[in-house]
Amino acid sequence: MEMSASRKKEFLEGLTKNTHVKKLTLEKCRLDNGFAEDIAKCLASNKTLKELSFSGNDFTSPGVLTIAKAATKNKKIKHLAIKKPRFKITESDAEIFLEEMEKKSSLRALDIEFRNADHQKRVEAVLKNNSK
C-alpha cells in the first residue's frame, strides 16, 4: 500500500476514532511490521471493529504476533485472518500468542498459519470455548 505519511496518519487516526466500520480488510497491500505496530495501537482504543483481515501482506512473525496479541486484548474483535504472510509465525511467537489467547480471548474465528499442528489444536479448543 503506497500511502503518504500524512494519509497514513489520517487513516490511523480515523481507525482509532472509528465508530462505524465493523470489518477491516487490507489484503495484499504490502503492509509490513511497522504497519502492524500502528494497527495494534489503533486496536487498543477501537471499540467498533469486529472482523480483521490482513492476509497476503509482508508481515514477518513479529508483525503477525503484534496484531494477533492486540486483537486478543480487544474484546470486540471476533474474527482475525492473517493468511499467507511473508513468513509464518515462529514456534516461540506462536507460543506467546497462544498463552495470551488461552488467558483472555473473545475471538471466535482465527485464520493464522501455524508451523506446528499442536498450536492449531490449541487454537481450535479456545475458539470452541469462546463460541459457547
Side-chain angles (χ1 to χ4, degrees):
M1 174 195 292
E2 296 300 322
M3 187 184 297
S4 70
S6 62
R7 288 279 185 208
K8 181 179 175 183
K9 183 179 177 187
E10 285 177 27
F11 171 76
L12 294 169
E13 285 175 358
L15 188 59
T16 300
K17 298 174 185 176
N18 167 52
T19 59
H20 294 87
V21 177
K22 294 180 181 182
K23 182 177 182 178
L24 178 64
T25 301
L26 295 172
E27 296 180 344
K28 299 179 183 174
C29 296
R30 298 175 35 202
L31 304 176
D32 60 14
N33 291 353
F35 193 85
E37 291 173 17
D38 293 335
I39 287 291
K41 290 175 190 169
C42 294
L43 295 180
S45 59
N46 185 292
K47 304 297 180 214
T48 308
L49 286 169
K50 293 183 179 190
E51 294 183 43
L52 303 170
S53 182
F54 300 108
S55 297
N57 282 295
D58 290 341
F59 304 124
T60 61
S61 186
V64 173
L65 177 62
T66 298
I67 294 173
K69 283 177 64 176
T72 298
K73 290 177 183 175
N74 184 322
K75 299 300 180 193
K76 297 291 184 182
I77 297 174
K78 305 299 180 199
H79 182 253
L80 173 63
I82 310 177
K83 294 186 261 182
K84 299 181 182 175
R86 182 189 294 171
F87 298 105
K88 288 182 183 178
I89 192 167
T90 63
E91 299 267 339
S92 59
D93 284 349
E95 194 61 40
I96 291 167
F97 168 60
L98 288 167
E99 287 173 8
E100 188 89 16
M101 189 178 177
E102 289 168 339
K103 283 188 241 173
K104 53 182 176 189
S105 170
S106 297
L107 290 172
R108 294 190 180 155
L110 179 69
D111 296 321
I112 293 179
E113 297 171 28
F114 293 96
R115 297 171 189 229
N116 183 326
D118 290 336
H119 290 151
Q120 188 61 43
K121 288 177 186 175
R122 285 172 62 191
V123 165
E124 290 168 9
V126 172
L127 295 177
K128 183 177 179 180
N129 188 46
N130 289 352
S131 294
K132 290 181 182 177

